[in-house]
Amino acid sequence: MRNGACSVAALAAWAMASPAVAETPKVGKPMPNVQLTLVDGTKVDLADLKGQVVILNFWATWCVPCRQELPLLDAYYRKLQPFGLRVFAITTEGSVSLSQLKPLFSVLAIPAVRRVKGMSVDMPAVPTNYVIDRAGIVRHTKAGAFDLADLNALIVPLLKEDAGLRVAHP
């Protein structure tokens, strides 16, 4: 009996120590607990960014629409960061090494992400963007590049929202 109890306890300890399964963000639901490790080593927990509008941009160096979208997102971020916009560029597998991307990252205002913990980075298409509102709710996902009209239609209203004032109407 005692050995069985030890086995159950050991199994429970192992299960608690195992990494959590990466969740897929869903529109209308809270963003899963995601931690980003930036190229400079800084760690950013998305939960700590409540009160800001966040765009997670998954891109690849070989993707032509990505190479057009990234400068647009960077310029947009530079203008709207003071109003609570955060944008993170997440390079997907199949891109050139991070060391080869250092010249690009040095001119971008958007923080470049080296590692993502808590959500899958396997995207069905690139670019793929996730937009999270000030309350931490996933408001939009899009496989395909944003243009300026898309960004203005989606992001500006979210920046105008107050995280504490979003209430569901009956």
Side-chain angles (χ1 to χ4, degrees), residues 3-76:
N3 285 343
C6 288
S7 297
V8 169
L11 183 60
W14 174 80
M16 292 177 80
S18 296
V21 175
E23 294 184 49
T24 301
K26 292 180 178 41
V27 173
K29 302 288 184 189
M31 183 66 183
N33 185 18
V34 173
Q35 183 181 71
L36 307 174
T37 302
L38 306 183
V39 170
D40 68 5
T42 304
K43 293 188 185 308
V44 176
D45 288 318
L46 292 188
D48 294 339
L49 297 180
K50 283 193 178 166
Q52 299 180 55
V53 175
V54 178
I55 300 173
L56 300 180
N57 173 252
F58 290 84
W59 69 287
T61 54
W62 49 263
C63 164
V64 173
C66 297
R67 292 193 309 248
Q68 295 168 345
E69 180 185 52
L70 198 57
L72 171 67
L73 283 172
D74 190 62
Y76 205 75

Side-chain angles (χ1 to χ4, degrees), residues 1 3 28 31 45 74 89 93 100 111 114 126 132 142 147 152 155 168:
M1 189 88 155
N3 285 343
M31 183 66 183
D45 288 318
D74 190 62
E93 294 296 319
Q100 291 175 295
R114 168 173 61 188
V126 288
I132 303 132
K142 180 179 182 180
D147 62 21
N152 285 334
I155 302 303

Side-chain angles (χ1 to χ4, degrees), residues 87-149:
V87 179
F88 296 93
I90 303 165
T91 312
T92 60
E93 294 296 319
S95 291
V96 298
S97 71
L98 289 177
S99 64
Q100 291 175 295
L101 291 172
K102 280 186 180 181
L104 171 65
F105 295 153
S106 71
V107 298
L108 289 177
I110 297 172
V113 176
R114 168 173 61 188
R115 187 172 31 256
V116 178
K117 182 179 174 185
M119 77 178 273
S120 175
V121 295
D122 294 328
M123 296 294 127
V126 288
T128 292
N129 291 286
Y130 290 90
V131 178
I132 303 132
D133 71 11
R134 293 183 185 278
I137 305 298
V138 178
R139 295 289 288 270
H140 184 82
T141 63
K142 180 179 182 180
F146 280 129
D147 62 21
L148 185 57

Side-chain angles (χ1 to χ4, degrees), residues 51-52 75-86 134 159:
Q52 299 180 55
Y76 205 75
Y77 173 68
R78 288 174 192 263
K79 289 186 182 206
L80 296 180
Q81 181 186 12
F83 301 100
L85 178 65
R86 298 292 302 265
R134 293 183 185 278
L159 289 172

